[in-house]
Amino acid sequence: MAPGLSSPGRRFRAYTVKHLDRLTERAGLSPDERLAVRAVATVLPFRTNEYVVERLIDWDAAPDDPIYRLVFPQADMLPPEDVGWIGGLLARGAPDEEVRAAAHAVRTRLNPHPAGQLALNVPDYADEPLPGVQHKYPETVLVFPKQGQTCHAYCTYCFRWAQFVDEPDLKMATDDMSRVTGYLRQHPEVTSVLITGGDPMIMGAAVLRRYVEPLLGPELGHIESVRIGTKSLGYWPQRYVTDPDADDTMRLFEEVAAAGKSLAIMAHFSHPRELEPPMVAEAASRIRSAGGIIRTQAPLIRSINDNPLTWATMWRTQMRMGMVPYYMFVERDTGPQGYFAVPLYRAHEIYRDAYASVSGLCRTVRGPSMSATPGKVCVDGVVEVAGEKVFALHMIQARNPDLVGRPFFARFDPRAIWLSDLEPAFAARFPFDNVPEELPGLWAPEMFPSLT
Ligand code: SF4
C-alpha cells in the first residue's frame, strides 16, 4: 500500500491520485483499466482516506462494492473518446500542460456549475458581488468558507466537483466574514445560514469558529439556525470523537445552542455501511449532547444506493442513532450525471417503497427532489389524469416563494432523469417558467395573478 499523506496530531491519512494505481490494482483492475481510471481522475477529482479504504470498502466485492464506487472513479464515467484521449496522453507521458488543457476541455462540457450557481445566486453587498456566498431562497444564505473547500474523501458523483479541480475560475469561496455579516444585517428575511463546501468540517475547530462565531452576535438575532453541510460523519467520524480538537468543536456547537440558535449538522450518508462503525454512533451522540441536531441527506445514485432496502436501512439506522432523515435527492445535472442517474419514475418507486417500509419516525424524509434552477422540485409520483399518464410534482423550495407547495404535472417520460427532460402537462408551461409578460401574445398577466 502506498503511504498516504498523514496529518500530524490526528491519524487522518489521505490518498490522492498519486496512490490511485496501487489502490485500483488492489481492486483487481488490469493495467488498461487502471489507465482509464487515471484518465477519469485527471478530469474529475479523486481523494480518499485510510479510514474509508480500510474500514468501509469491502475489497472482496471491489470494484462493484458500493463504497468503492462511491470514492473510486469508474472508467465509463466519461465518454470513451475522452477517456481514450486523456489515457493516450498519460500513456505517452505528455507534458503536464497538454494534459491539463485536455482535462480542461473535457470539464467545460460537464456543466461545472449547475442550477445557475455562478450567475444567479451570488448576491451584491456594498455595490459589489459577494463571492463565496449564495442567496437563492429568501430565508437561506449559503456560505462557502475558503478553508472548507475540500473533503475527507470525494464522492464520484459529487455535484460540486468543480470546486476541487485545479481551476480557479470554477471555485467559489470567502474568508471575509465581516462582509458576510454585513450582508446578513441588511437582510432580516434570512433566518438560516448554511455553511457548506466542500466540507466545512475539514476545518479545525479554531478556523471553523471564525465562520460560526460571527453569526452568533445580537445584531444577527434574526438568524435562527446555523447549518453545517458535511459528510464527515461518514468519511471521518473521528472529527467529533478522537481528533485533538473534537472537544473544542463540541464547545463551539454548545455556544451556538447557548446563543439561542439551532445547530444543524446536515449529514450526507450515501449507504448504510457508513453508519456501521461504532465511532459514528459515538460522534452522533456527542453532537446531540452539545445541542446539535443531525439531519441526513443523500442523492439517489445508480450502482451505489439505487434500491429501497438500502434507503430504508439507512433511515432506520439513522433514526435509531437520533438522526432525522431529511432528503433523498436526484443526481444533479453536472459531471457524470448520465452515468449515475436513475430515471425519475424509478427514483420515485425506490423512494415510495423505502418510505412505505419504515415507521412514521423515519417519514420526516422528503424526495426524490431535484435541486434545479427554479428551486427544489419533488417528484410525488406517476398518476393517470384524464387518460394521460403524468408525473405529479411540487416545489419544496422556490426562488419565487409563491410557488412552494403547489402541485403541477409533467408528461410521463420513462427516460427523464432531470427537470429539463420534462414537458408540462395540462398547461403550456411550468409554473416556474417565464412569467407571462415575457411571452407577449401568448399570455395575459391577469390570467396568472399569483405568478406576477
Ligand atoms: S462530501 Fe459532499 S462536497 Fe465532498 S465530494 Fe462528497 S458530495 Fe461532494
Side-chain angles (χ1 to χ4, degrees), residues 382-432:
V382 176
V383 287
E384 203 168 299
V385 178
E388 189 175 345
K389 196 172 180 184
V390 293
F391 285 111
L393 307 128
H394 83 278
M395 299 196 75
I396 295 173
Q397 260 293 16
R399 285 176 186 286
N400 174 0
D402 195 40
L403 303 182
V404 171
R406 296 185 192 278
F408 61 98
F409 298 96
R411 292 200 188 113
F412 179 73
D413 181 346
R415 294 158 309 165
I417 57 172
W418 192 248
L419 189 62
S420 52
D421 299 329
L422 298 178
E423 296 289 336
F426 315 123
R429 61 186 183 83
F430 287 126
F432 47 77

Side-chain angles (χ1 to χ4, degrees), residues 150-151 153-155 157-160 164 197-199 231 235 268:
T150 183
C151 305
Y154 291 147
C155 312
Y157 57 70
C158 178
F159 77 96
R160 292 208 172 123
F164 312 133
D199 192 329
K231 202 170 187 350
Y235 283 160
H268 174 183

Side-chain angles (χ1 to χ4, degrees), residues 29-91:
L29 267 53
S30 70
D32 282 352
E33 290 168 331
R34 301 203 307 266
L35 177 64
V37 169
R38 277 173 52 219
V40 174
T42 304
V43 175
L44 299 169
F46 167 73
R47 175 181 162 97
T48 188
N49 69 62
E50 189 180 38
Y51 169 79
V52 174
V53 165
E54 301 302 339
R55 296 292 307 279
L56 298 185
I57 292 175
D58 175 359
W59 286 96
D60 291 338
D64 296 327
D65 178 63
I67 305 291
Y68 176 90
R69 296 178 65 85
L70 174 63
V71 291
F72 282 91
Q74 313 295 308
D76 38 2
M77 277 166 55
L78 295 177
E81 57 278 13
D82 288 337
V83 176
W85 177 28
I86 294 181
L89 296 178
L90 295 176

Side-chain angles (χ1 to χ4, degrees), residues 139-142 184 189-194 222-227:
E139 67 283 355
T140 306
V141 157
L142 275 62
L184 291 171
E189 77 277 15
V190 178
T191 57
S192 189
V193 173
L194 170 61
H222 55 290
I223 305 299
E224 297 166 356
S225 63
V226 176
R227 298 189 241 177

